[in-house]
């Protein structure tokens, strides 16, 4: 168990892609089980843990619009994909003994609680892990924006953005071998240089409300707990 964590309440944004593991689509059982055990480790270090889950491993709005779908309809499908991921993650966590609540911004009460801010905070106080599904509940938004919004609403100390890359780079490190990683960045820098930390709506929400973001590689075991401990695991975005 961790001795002392830097953050006491965290909002973790998990992109749908990280659930795929090595496969190109869907949910990889070994990957989700490994993530679940790391999430429980974080919770066991006495940190209030809320997760916003993405849906990109199943469906993104732009996949629908590319084939001519109406944008709002495609986005609702994307939001439904996040619900599927949320249920899978809840199941993986519960099989390892955690207490979990899935809270959905879209009303789908047979499978998830509706979003009621005070109730969500109460769950955290009781030590339950929260999974926020359906993003913001509105088309034309992303789960990154949902992460920023919910972080503010639950008074989180930080947004932890768990991705496949170990931070923010000057360029795409896959395409450009000279790309270097930032240890820290200001919101304004990230926005003006279009560094792709999160979309601009999500970033400006964090900037306007002084909500720091830590971008780290969630696919490497142990990084999640280190991020919560405040160890230098990736890129910290905050106002200087
Ligand atoms: N989405 C939406 N409103 C929201 C959040 C998500 O319409 O508030 C839709 C959107 O189509 C998006 C999809 O859900 O492409 C999946 O979310 P996202 O792309 O953020 O998932 P991730 O890339 O993190 O897996």
């Amino acid at each position: 168990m961790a001795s002392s964590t830097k953050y006491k309440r965290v909002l973790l944004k998990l992109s749908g892609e990280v659930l795929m593991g090595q496969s190109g689509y869907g949910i990889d059982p070994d990957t989700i089980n490994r993530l679940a055990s790391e999430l429980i480790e974080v919770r066991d270090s006495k940190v209030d843990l809320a997760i916003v889950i993405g849906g990109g491993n199943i469906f993104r709005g732009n996949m629908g619009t590319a084939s001519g779908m109406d944008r709002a309809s495609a986005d609702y499908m994307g939001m439904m994909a996040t619900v599927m991921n949320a249920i899978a993650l809840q199941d993986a966590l519960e099989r390892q003994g955690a207490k979990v609540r899935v809270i959905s911004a879209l009303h789908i009460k047979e499978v998830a609680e509706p979003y009621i801010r005070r109730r969500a905070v109460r769950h955290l106080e009781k030590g339950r892990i929260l999974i926020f599904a359906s993003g913001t509940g509105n088309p034309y938004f992303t789960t990154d924006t949902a992460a920023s919004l919910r972080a503010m609403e639950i008074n989180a100390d930080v947004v932890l953005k768990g991705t496949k890359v170990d931070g923010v780079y000057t360029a795409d490190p896959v395409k450009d071998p000279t790309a270097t990683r930032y240890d820290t960045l200001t919101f304004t820098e990230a926005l003006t240089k279009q560094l792709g930390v999160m979309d601009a709506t999500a970033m400006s929400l964090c900037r306007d409300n002084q909500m720091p973001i830590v971008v780290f590689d969630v696919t490497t075991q142990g990084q999640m707990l280190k991020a919560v401990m405040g160890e230098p695991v990736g890129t910290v975005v905050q106002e200087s």
Side-chain angles (χ1 to χ4, degrees):
M1 185 186 292
S3 51
S4 160
T5 58
K6 175 169 180 180
Y7 305 112
K8 298 300 170 205
R9 178 168 292 175
V10 303
L11 188 301
L12 172 70
K13 162 66 208 295
L14 271 186
S15 73
E17 275 191 352
V18 302
L19 302 183
M20 299 192 301
Q22 296 308 311
S23 46
Y25 179 82
I27 301 165
D28 174 57
D30 291 341
T31 304
I32 201 165
N33 288 335
R34 196 238 343 132
L35 281 168
S37 70
E38 292 205 47
L39 291 166
I40 290 170
E41 210 182 350
V42 167
R43 175 51 241 151
D44 286 350
S45 61
K46 303 274 178 274
V47 170
D48 293 346
L49 175 59
I51 302 156
V52 166
I53 188 98
N57 55 322
I58 300 172
F59 195 85
R60 277 206 184 91
N62 59 13
M63 298 175 188
T65 52
S67 59
M69 264 187 95
D70 165 64
R71 169 76 190 264
S73 301
D75 279 345
Y76 281 118
M77 285 180 68
M79 287 185 257
M80 301 304 285
T82 73
V83 176
M84 292 175 73
N85 283 336
I87 294 169
L89 186 58
Q90 179 183 41
D91 175 76
L93 285 161
E94 286 181 343
R95 275 187 284 112
Q96 295 183 41
K99 299 271 182 280
V100 189
R101 294 290 185 275
V102 174
I103 296 184
S104 173
L106 292 176
H107 287 219
I108 179 166
K109 64 181 177 4
E110 284 78 6
V111 290
E113 287 185 12
Y115 177 61
I116 299 169
R117 190 182 71 88
R118 284 170 190 277
R119 190 191 286 181
V121 170
R122 190 77 191 115
H123 284 317
L124 288 175
E125 288 167 355
K126 288 189 172 175
R128 295 167 186 150
I129 297 174
L130 288 188
I131 306 174
F132 289 119
S134 318
T136 64
N138 303 288
Y140 295 92
F141 286 90
T142 63
T143 52
D144 280 355
T145 301
S148 309
L149 175 65
R150 296 290 185 241
M152 252 82 81
E153 290 186 276
I154 65 166
N155 294 317
D157 303 316
V158 67
V159 172
L160 301 179
K161 182 167 158 89
T163 70
K164 287 177 154 179
V165 188
D166 65 346
V168 183
Y169 282 75
T170 49
D172 183 346
V174 180
K175 293 180 190 150
D176 182 353
T178 65
T180 54
R181 193 182 73 185
Y182 293 98
D183 293 332
T184 57
L185 261 178
T186 66
F187 291 114
T188 311
E189 255 182 302
L191 278 164
T192 51
K193 292 183 181 161
Q194 300 188 319
L195 290 170
V197 180
M198 286 183 167
D199 60 84
T201 312
M203 286 287 293
S204 26
L205 208 52
C206 286
R207 181 190 58 190
D208 295 350
N209 295 280
Q210 292 88 48
M211 175 64 65
I213 304 166
V214 177
V215 183
F216 73 103
D217 173 14
V218 76
T219 66
T220 301
Q221 195 143 6
Q223 295 299 89
M224 196 190 292
L225 187 60
K226 284 186 183 163
V228 172
M229 303 289 291
E231 290 180 27
V233 285
T235 303
V236 182
V237 189
Q238 59 193 2
E239 224 37 80
S240 54

